[in-house]
PDB file of all heavy atoms in Angstrom:
ATOM      1  N   LEU C   3      42.201 -21.488  87.998  1.00  0.00           N
ATOM      2  CA  LEU C   3      43.025 -21.532  89.197  1.00  0.00           C
ATOM      3  C   LEU C   3      42.260 -22.207  90.320  1.00  0.00           C
ATOM      4  O   LEU C   3      41.045 -22.035  90.460  1.00  0.00           O
ATOM      5  CB  LEU C   3      43.417 -20.116  89.630  1.00  0.00           C
ATOM      6  CG  LEU C   3      44.330 -19.333  88.699  1.00  0.00           C
ATOM      7  CD1 LEU C   3      44.466 -17.896  89.206  1.00  0.00           C
ATOM      8  CD2 LEU C   3      45.699 -19.979  88.611  1.00  0.00           C
ATOM      9  N   THR C   7      45.690 -21.381  94.644  1.00  0.00           N
ATOM     10  CA  THR C   7      46.602 -20.587  93.821  1.00  0.00           C
ATOM     11  C   THR C   7      45.950 -19.345  93.260  1.00  0.00           C
ATOM     12  O   THR C   7      46.586 -18.571  92.566  1.00  0.00           O
ATOM     13  CB  THR C   7      47.139 -21.433  92.647  1.00  0.00           C
ATOM     14  OG1 THR C   7      46.033 -21.858  91.845  1.00  0.00           O
ATOM     15  CG2 THR C   7      47.912 -22.641  93.158  1.00  0.00           C
ATOM     16  N   THR C   9      44.388 -15.643  92.671  1.00  0.00           N
ATOM     17  CA  THR C   9      44.757 -14.307  93.108  1.00  0.00           C
ATOM     18  C   THR C   9      43.774 -13.820  94.154  1.00  0.00           C
ATOM     19  O   THR C   9      42.555 -13.909  93.957  1.00  0.00           O
ATOM     20  CB  THR C   9      44.738 -13.333  91.912  1.00  0.00           C
ATOM     21  OG1 THR C   9      45.639 -13.828  90.936  1.00  0.00           O
ATOM     22  CG2 THR C   9      45.153 -11.935  92.342  1.00  0.00           C
ATOM     23  N   VAL C  16      49.085  -8.243  99.308  1.00  0.00           N
ATOM     24  CA  VAL C  16      49.588  -9.596  99.077  1.00  0.00           C
ATOM     25  C   VAL C  16      50.838  -9.814  99.919  1.00  0.00           C
ATOM     26  O   VAL C  16      51.708  -8.950  99.991  1.00  0.00           O
ATOM     27  CB  VAL C  16      49.905  -9.805  97.584  1.00  0.00           C
ATOM     28  CG1 VAL C  16      50.486 -11.191  97.350  1.00  0.00           C
ATOM     29  CG2 VAL C  16      48.650  -9.600  96.748  1.00  0.00           C
ATOM     30  N   ILE C  72      69.133  -1.921 104.116  1.00  0.00           N
ATOM     31  CA  ILE C  72      69.146  -1.356 102.761  1.00  0.00           C
ATOM     32  C   ILE C  72      67.766  -0.770 102.463  1.00  0.00           C
ATOM     33  O   ILE C  72      66.753  -1.471 102.552  1.00  0.00           O
ATOM     34  CB  ILE C  72      69.497  -2.437 101.719  1.00  0.00           C
ATOM     35  CG1 ILE C  72      70.897  -3.000 101.988  1.00  0.00           C
ATOM     36  CG2 ILE C  72      69.397  -1.882 100.306  1.00  0.00           C
ATOM     37  CD1 ILE C  72      71.248  -4.190 101.137  1.00  0.00           C
ATOM     38  N   ILE C 107      65.890  10.498  96.561  1.00  0.00           N
ATOM     39  CA  ILE C 107      65.204  11.433  97.451  1.00  0.00           C
ATOM     40  C   ILE C 107      65.928  12.767  97.308  1.00  0.00           C
ATOM     41  O   ILE C 107      67.111  12.878  97.640  1.00  0.00           O
ATOM     42  CB  ILE C 107      65.236  10.961  98.913  1.00  0.00           C
ATOM     43  CG1 ILE C 107      64.488   9.637  99.065  1.00  0.00           C
ATOM     44  CG2 ILE C 107      64.621  12.015  99.829  1.00  0.00           C
ATOM     45  CD1 ILE C 107      64.523   9.073 100.465  1.00  0.00           C
ATOM     46  N   TRP C 113      71.886  27.224  97.737  1.00  0.00           N
ATOM     47  CA  TRP C 113      73.165  27.925  97.855  1.00  0.00           C
ATOM     48  C   TRP C 113      73.388  28.515  99.238  1.00  0.00           C
ATOM     49  O   TRP C 113      73.883  29.617  99.380  1.00  0.00           O
ATOM     50  CB  TRP C 113      73.309  28.998  96.778  1.00  0.00           C
ATOM     51  CG  TRP C 113      73.423  28.399  95.424  1.00  0.00           C
ATOM     52  CD1 TRP C 113      72.595  28.550  94.374  1.00  0.00           C
ATOM     53  CD2 TRP C 113      74.444  27.485  94.987  1.00  0.00           C
ATOM     54  NE1 TRP C 113      73.000  27.793  93.317  1.00  0.00           N
ATOM     55  CE2 TRP C 113      74.144  27.136  93.657  1.00  0.00           C
ATOM     56  CE3 TRP C 113      75.578  26.931  95.595  1.00  0.00           C
ATOM     57  CZ2 TRP C 113      74.932  26.256  92.916  1.00  0.00           C
ATOM     58  CZ3 TRP C 113      76.357  26.055  94.868  1.00  0.00           C
ATOM     59  CH2 TRP C 113      76.043  25.739  93.540  1.00  0.00           C
ATOM     60  N   GLN C 116      74.648  26.318 105.379  1.00  0.00           N
ATOM     61  CA  GLN C 116      73.967  25.799 106.565  1.00  0.00           C
ATOM     62  C   GLN C 116      72.760  24.938 106.173  1.00  0.00           C
ATOM     63  O   GLN C 116      72.500  23.897 106.789  1.00  0.00           O
ATOM     64  CB  GLN C 116      73.522  26.953 107.461  1.00  0.00           C
ATOM     65  CG  GLN C 116      74.680  27.677 108.145  1.00  0.00           C
ATOM     66  CD  GLN C 116      74.189  28.786 109.064  1.00  0.00           C
ATOM     67  OE1 GLN C 116      73.087  29.298 108.909  1.00  0.00           O
ATOM     68  NE2 GLN C 116      75.013  29.149 110.037  1.00  0.00           N
ATOM     69  N   THR C 117      72.040  25.383 105.143  1.00  0.00           N
ATOM     70  CA  THR C 117      70.906  24.598 104.658  1.00  0.00           C
ATOM     71  C   THR C 117      71.390  23.279 104.073  1.00  0.00           C
ATOM     72  O   THR C 117      70.742  22.231 104.243  1.00  0.00           O
ATOM     73  CB  THR C 117      70.119  25.390 103.596  1.00  0.00           C
ATOM     74  OG1 THR C 117      69.719  26.647 104.140  1.00  0.00           O
ATOM     75  CG2 THR C 117      68.882  24.625 103.148  1.00  0.00           C
ATOM     76  N   LEU C 122      71.638  17.443 104.384  1.00  0.00           N
ATOM     77  CA  LEU C 122      72.381  16.188 104.438  1.00  0.00           C
ATOM     78  C   LEU C 122      72.047  15.396 105.690  1.00  0.00           C
ATOM     79  O   LEU C 122      71.949  14.166 105.666  1.00  0.00           O
ATOM     80  CB  LEU C 122      73.888  16.464 104.368  1.00  0.00           C
ATOM     81  CG  LEU C 122      74.418  16.900 103.003  1.00  0.00           C
ATOM     82  CD1 LEU C 122      75.880  17.309 103.097  1.00  0.00           C
ATOM     83  CD2 LEU C 122      74.254  15.781 101.981  1.00  0.00           C
ATOM     84  N   ARG C 129      68.108   7.233 106.359  1.00  0.00           N
ATOM     85  CA  ARG C 129      68.868   6.001 106.149  1.00  0.00           C
ATOM     86  C   ARG C 129      69.038   5.679 104.668  1.00  0.00           C
ATOM     87  O   ARG C 129      68.916   4.527 104.235  1.00  0.00           O
ATOM     88  CB  ARG C 129      68.190   4.828 106.859  1.00  0.00           C
ATOM     89  CG  ARG C 129      68.052   5.018 108.367  1.00  0.00           C
ATOM     90  CD  ARG C 129      67.285   3.895 109.006  1.00  0.00           C
ATOM     91  NE  ARG C 129      67.992   2.625 108.859  1.00  0.00           N
ATOM     92  CZ  ARG C 129      67.404   1.424 108.943  1.00  0.00           C
ATOM     93  NH1 ARG C 129      66.098   1.349 109.138  1.00  0.00           N
ATOM     94  NH2 ARG C 129      68.106   0.324 108.828  1.00  0.00           N
ATOM     95  N   ASP C 131      70.906   4.883 101.201  1.00  0.00           N
ATOM     96  CA  ASP C 131      72.036   3.975 100.993  1.00  0.00           C
ATOM     97  C   ASP C 131      73.278   4.694 100.493  1.00  0.00           C
ATOM     98  O   ASP C 131      74.385   4.150 100.558  1.00  0.00           O
ATOM     99  CB  ASP C 131      71.645   2.881  99.998  1.00  0.00           C
ATOM    100  CG  ASP C 131      70.479   2.043 100.499  1.00  0.00           C
ATOM    101  OD1 ASP C 131      70.343   1.903 101.724  1.00  0.00           O
ATOM    102  OD2 ASP C 131      69.697   1.555  99.662  1.00  0.00           O
ATOM    103  N   GLY C 163      88.439  10.647  99.536  1.00  0.00           N
ATOM    104  CA  GLY C 163      88.597  10.125 100.881  1.00  0.00           C
ATOM    105  C   GLY C 163      87.908   8.783 100.991  1.00  0.00           C
ATOM    106  O   GLY C 163      87.313   8.294 100.021  1.00  0.00           O
ATOM    107  N   ILE C 195      80.283  38.645  82.765  1.00  0.00           N
ATOM    108  CA  ILE C 195      79.336  38.600  83.886  1.00  0.00           C
ATOM    109  C   ILE C 195      79.612  37.293  84.617  1.00  0.00           C
ATOM    110  O   ILE C 195      79.273  36.212  84.131  1.00  0.00           O
ATOM    111  CB  ILE C 195      77.877  38.678  83.409  1.00  0.00           C
ATOM    112  CG1 ILE C 195      77.640  39.982  82.631  1.00  0.00           C
ATOM    113  CG2 ILE C 195      76.929  38.602  84.613  1.00  0.00           C
ATOM    114  CD1 ILE C 195      76.218  40.162  82.119  1.00  0.00           C
ATOM    115  N   GLY C 210      89.625  31.011  82.989  1.00  0.00           N
ATOM    116  CA  GLY C 210      89.722  30.714  81.561  1.00  0.00           C
ATOM    117  C   GLY C 210      89.609  31.967  80.716  1.00  0.00           C
ATOM    118  O   GLY C 210      90.292  32.111  79.693  1.00  0.00           O
ATOM    119  N   TYR C 211      88.761  32.874  81.137  1.00  0.00           N
ATOM    120  CA  TYR C 211      88.614  34.187  80.480  1.00  0.00           C
ATOM    121  C   TYR C 211      89.944  34.937  80.495  1.00  0.00           C
ATOM    122  O   TYR C 211      90.386  35.487  79.474  1.00  0.00           O
ATOM    123  CB  TYR C 211      87.519  34.949  81.223  1.00  0.00           C
ATOM    124  CG  TYR C 211      87.413  36.436  80.998  1.00  0.00           C
ATOM    125  CD1 TYR C 211      86.690  36.953  79.927  1.00  0.00           C
ATOM    126  CD2 TYR C 211      87.998  37.345  81.894  1.00  0.00           C
ATOM    127  CE1 TYR C 211      86.557  38.331  79.751  1.00  0.00           C
ATOM    128  CE2 TYR C 211      87.874  38.716  81.728  1.00  0.00           C
ATOM    129  CZ  TYR C 211      87.153  39.204  80.646  1.00  0.00           C
ATOM    130  OH  TYR C 211      87.027  40.571  80.478  1.00  0.00           O
ATOM    131  N   ALA C 214      92.703  33.159  78.176  1.00  0.00           N
ATOM    132  CA  ALA C 214      92.540  33.434  76.749  1.00  0.00           C
ATOM    133  C   ALA C 214      93.066  34.824  76.403  1.00  0.00           C
ATOM    134  O   ALA C 214      93.703  35.023  75.353  1.00  0.00           O
ATOM    135  CB  ALA C 214      91.069  33.309  76.356  1.00  0.00           C
ATOM    136  N   PHE C 232      74.360  33.564  88.528  1.00  0.00           N
ATOM    137  CA  PHE C 232      73.952  32.369  87.783  1.00  0.00           C
ATOM    138  C   PHE C 232      72.454  32.316  87.490  1.00  0.00           C
ATOM    139  O   PHE C 232      71.940  31.267  87.108  1.00  0.00           O
ATOM    140  CB  PHE C 232      74.365  31.078  88.510  1.00  0.00           C
ATOM    141  CG  PHE C 232      75.828  30.742  88.406  1.00  0.00           C
ATOM    142  CD1 PHE C 232      76.540  30.339  89.526  1.00  0.00           C
ATOM    143  CD2 PHE C 232      76.491  30.790  87.196  1.00  0.00           C
ATOM    144  CE1 PHE C 232      77.882  30.004  89.447  1.00  0.00           C
ATOM    145  CE2 PHE C 232      77.838  30.457  87.086  1.00  0.00           C
ATOM    146  CZ  PHE C 232      78.530  30.064  88.220  1.00  0.00           C
ATOM    147  N   LEU C 244      76.560  47.138  83.889  1.00  0.00           N
ATOM    148  CA  LEU C 244      77.630  47.233  82.895  1.00  0.00           C
ATOM    149  C   LEU C 244      77.364  48.384  81.924  1.00  0.00           C
ATOM    150  O   LEU C 244      78.256  49.204  81.641  1.00  0.00           O
ATOM    151  CB  LEU C 244      77.731  45.908  82.130  1.00  0.00           C
ATOM    152  CG  LEU C 244      78.836  45.774  81.090  1.00  0.00           C
ATOM    153  CD1 LEU C 244      80.211  45.870  81.726  1.00  0.00           C
ATOM    154  CD2 LEU C 244      78.688  44.441  80.349  1.00  0.00           C
ATOM    155  N   ALA C 265      70.866  38.938  80.441  1.00  0.00           N
ATOM    156  CA  ALA C 265      71.663  39.983  79.786  1.00  0.00           C
ATOM    157  C   ALA C 265      71.076  40.334  78.425  1.00  0.00           C
ATOM    158  O   ALA C 265      71.039  41.513  78.026  1.00  0.00           O
ATOM    159  CB  ALA C 265      73.105  39.514  79.640  1.00  0.00           C
ATOM    160  N   LEU C 298      71.613  31.041  70.951  1.00  0.00           N
ATOM    161  CA  LEU C 298      72.768  31.436  71.756  1.00  0.00           C
ATOM    162  C   LEU C 298      74.003  30.588  71.492  1.00  0.00           C
ATOM    163  O   LEU C 298      73.949  29.353  71.522  1.00  0.00           O
ATOM    164  CB  LEU C 298      72.406  31.338  73.242  1.00  0.00           C
ATOM    165  CG  LEU C 298      73.481  31.705  74.261  1.00  0.00           C
ATOM    166  CD1 LEU C 298      73.801  33.197  74.196  1.00  0.00           C
ATOM    167  CD2 LEU C 298      73.019  31.318  75.667  1.00  0.00           C
ATOM    168  N   LEU C 310      74.474  11.145  85.262  1.00  0.00           N
ATOM    169  CA  LEU C 310      74.534   9.710  84.973  1.00  0.00           C
ATOM    170  C   LEU C 310      75.801   9.097  85.556  1.00  0.00           C
ATOM    171  O   LEU C 310      75.768   8.028  86.183  1.00  0.00           O
ATOM    172  CB  LEU C 310      74.485   9.509  83.454  1.00  0.00           C
ATOM    173  CG  LEU C 310      74.350   8.090  82.922  1.00  0.00           C
ATOM    174  CD1 LEU C 310      73.007   7.488  83.314  1.00  0.00           C
ATOM    175  CD2 LEU C 310      74.513   8.081  81.398  1.00  0.00           C
ATOM    176  N   TYR C 322      76.972  -2.363  93.552  1.00  0.00           N
ATOM    177  CA  TYR C 322      76.162  -2.685  92.384  1.00  0.00           C
ATOM    178  C   TYR C 322      76.969  -2.315  91.134  1.00  0.00           C
ATOM    179  O   TYR C 322      76.928  -1.167  90.688  1.00  0.00           O
ATOM    180  CB  TYR C 322      74.853  -1.899  92.375  1.00  0.00           C
ATOM    181  CG  TYR C 322      73.962  -2.158  93.558  1.00  0.00           C
ATOM    182  CD1 TYR C 322      74.122  -1.462  94.755  1.00  0.00           C
ATOM    183  CD2 TYR C 322      72.940  -3.092  93.483  1.00  0.00           C
ATOM    184  CE1 TYR C 322      73.300  -1.689  95.845  1.00  0.00           C
ATOM    185  CE2 TYR C 322      72.102  -3.335  94.571  1.00  0.00           C
ATOM    186  CZ  TYR C 322      72.298  -2.632  95.745  1.00  0.00           C
ATOM    187  OH  TYR C 322      71.475  -2.866  96.815  1.00  0.00           O
ATOM    188  N   PRO C 330      81.931  13.354  77.890  1.00  0.00           N
ATOM    189  CA  PRO C 330      82.442  14.025  76.695  1.00  0.00           C
ATOM    190  C   PRO C 330      83.121  15.341  77.072  1.00  0.00           C
ATOM    191  O   PRO C 330      82.778  15.957  78.086  1.00  0.00           O
ATOM    192  CB  PRO C 330      81.190  14.269  75.847  1.00  0.00           C
ATOM    193  CG  PRO C 330      80.051  14.234  76.811  1.00  0.00           C
ATOM    194  CD  PRO C 330      80.463  13.298  77.913  1.00  0.00           C
ATOM    195  N   LEU C 334      82.442  24.178  72.342  1.00  0.00           N
ATOM    196  CA  LEU C 334      81.785  25.452  72.037  1.00  0.00           C
ATOM    197  C   LEU C 334      80.779  25.247  70.920  1.00  0.00           C
ATOM    198  O   LEU C 334      81.120  24.784  69.831  1.00  0.00           O
ATOM    199  CB  LEU C 334      82.818  26.505  71.623  1.00  0.00           C
ATOM    200  CG  LEU C 334      82.234  27.890  71.297  1.00  0.00           C
ATOM    201  CD1 LEU C 334      81.737  28.561  72.571  1.00  0.00           C
ATOM    202  CD2 LEU C 334      83.272  28.768  70.608  1.00  0.00           C
ATOM    203  N   LYS C 342      81.897  38.784  63.877  1.00  0.00           N
ATOM    204  CA  LYS C 342      83.134  39.542  63.858  1.00  0.00           C
ATOM    205  C   LYS C 342      82.893  40.964  64.403  1.00  0.00           C
ATOM    206  O   LYS C 342      81.862  41.579  64.111  1.00  0.00           O
ATOM    207  CB  LYS C 342      83.714  39.609  62.452  1.00  0.00           C
ATOM    208  CG  LYS C 342      84.329  38.300  61.987  1.00  0.00           C
ATOM    209  CD  LYS C 342      85.015  38.459  60.647  1.00  0.00           C
ATOM    210  CE  LYS C 342      85.690  37.152  60.201  1.00  0.00           C
ATOM    211  NZ  LYS C 342      86.375  37.289  58.900  1.00  0.00           N
TER     212      LYS C 342
END
Side-chain angles (χ1 to χ4, degrees):
L3 294 173
T7 60
T9 302
V16 178
I72 299 172
I107 297 178
W113 293 118
Q116 290 182 337
T117 304
L122 287 173
R129 300 175 64 202
D131 299 330
I195 301 180
Y211 164 85
F232 284 135
L244 183 63
L298 180 67
L310 188 65
Y322 299 85
L334 181 70
K342 287 186 178 180

